[in-house]
Amino acid sequence: MILKIVKYPDPVLAQRGAEVTEFNAELRQFVADMFETMYAEQGVGLAAQQVGVAKRICVIDLSFGKKPEDKFVLINPEIIESEGRIYEEEGCLSFPEIRERIVRAARVRVRAQNEKGEWREIDGEELLSRCMQHEIDHLDGIQFIFRVSALKRSLMLRRIRKLQAEGEW
Ligand code: NI
């Protein structure tokens, strides 16, 4: 089932997600729905907050469903190592048409559970590193516009207000 994407400034986007403790059929269905929603929106990552659920669950697939090895479910994830620095443009399904360069670690190692509750570690570089950091930020209630300077943020907010006024948000 395709879920509705929540856009800024919905307050759920600013909520820290609750830890997941039950790995049941309901969770597996929710994860499947998140993938379906992400593919429908042509995104590469989606956090539970973006479909209105404040839980520590996100999905990532840099291949848009083409390569099974690029498909990740991160439940209760934490960044356990990070190094280097990159500065690349990011977008977010909760901020349609808004793109901005964000400073991120170049490489991260993330520890997370999958939908069966099994823990594993995922090493990411470049786009996967950025994507995991962006999605884990969502689980902490941090939206990418809060990762830029106050000046850039005010320009982004002005553009959002313009899109809202035009009925395109
Ligand atoms: Ni996002």
Side-chain angles (χ1 to χ4, degrees):
M1 182 175 71
I2 294 175
L3 307 170
K4 188 178 182 316
I5 299 273
V6 164
K7 280 186 258 181
Y8 176 87
D10 192 301
V12 71
L13 292 170
Q15 277 181 39
R16 186 184 153 85
E19 299 281 325
V20 174
T21 53
E22 289 196 49
F23 295 84
N24 53 22
E26 191 187 339
L27 174 72
R28 286 190 288 278
Q29 184 60 52
F30 180 66
V31 167
D33 289 344
M34 283 183 70
F35 273 111
E36 195 181 340
T37 304
M38 180 177 74
Y39 293 141
E41 299 289 336
Q42 306 202 334
V44 292
L46 184 69
Q49 275 85 344
Q50 294 182 276
V51 291
V53 176
K55 287 190 182 169
R56 302 188 71 75
I57 305 167
C58 61
V59 296
I60 291 173
D61 187 347
L62 304 183
S63 77
F64 299 100
K66 293 190 181 73
K67 289 194 244 163
E69 67 271 24
D70 282 349
K71 198 172 166 180
F72 297 103
V73 182
L74 307 182
I75 298 177
N76 301 326
E78 51 178 331
I79 294 169
I80 53 174
E81 282 178 40
S82 65
E83 59 173 22
R85 184 179 175 277
I86 43 180
Y87 184 48
E88 298 289 338
E89 203 171 74
E90 292 182 14
C92 180
L93 292 176
S94 297
F95 291 82
E97 298 190 41
I98 305 288
R99 298 192 66 81
E100 193 51 74
R101 291 177 82 190
I102 310 283
V103 175
R104 300 283 187 191
R107 287 170 293 283
V108 290
R109 176 170 290 169
V110 170
R111 182 173 178 268
Q113 285 169 286
N114 63 14
E115 67 271 45
K116 294 175 200 153
E118 299 160 344
W119 285 99
R120 56 180 186 156
E121 290 181 5
I122 299 148
D123 288 313
E125 292 188 359
E126 303 288 329
L127 182 56
L128 180 57
S129 174
R130 293 198 281 124
C131 194
M132 290 199 290
Q133 291 170 80
H134 179 113
E135 300 312 327
I136 292 170
D137 265 357
H138 274 301
L139 305 187
D140 290 329
I142 300 168
Q143 299 161 77
F144 82 140
I145 59 165
F146 296 100
R147 291 281 189 200
V148 302
S149 69
L151 174 64
K152 273 194 180 173
R153 182 159 54 250
S154 70
L155 294 172
M156 290 163 93
L157 291 171
R158 187 182 304 172
R159 177 148 158 68
I160 290 167
R161 278 194 296 273
K162 188 166 176 282
L163 288 165
Q164 285 170 328
E166 289 164 354
E168 290 182 24
W169 187 265

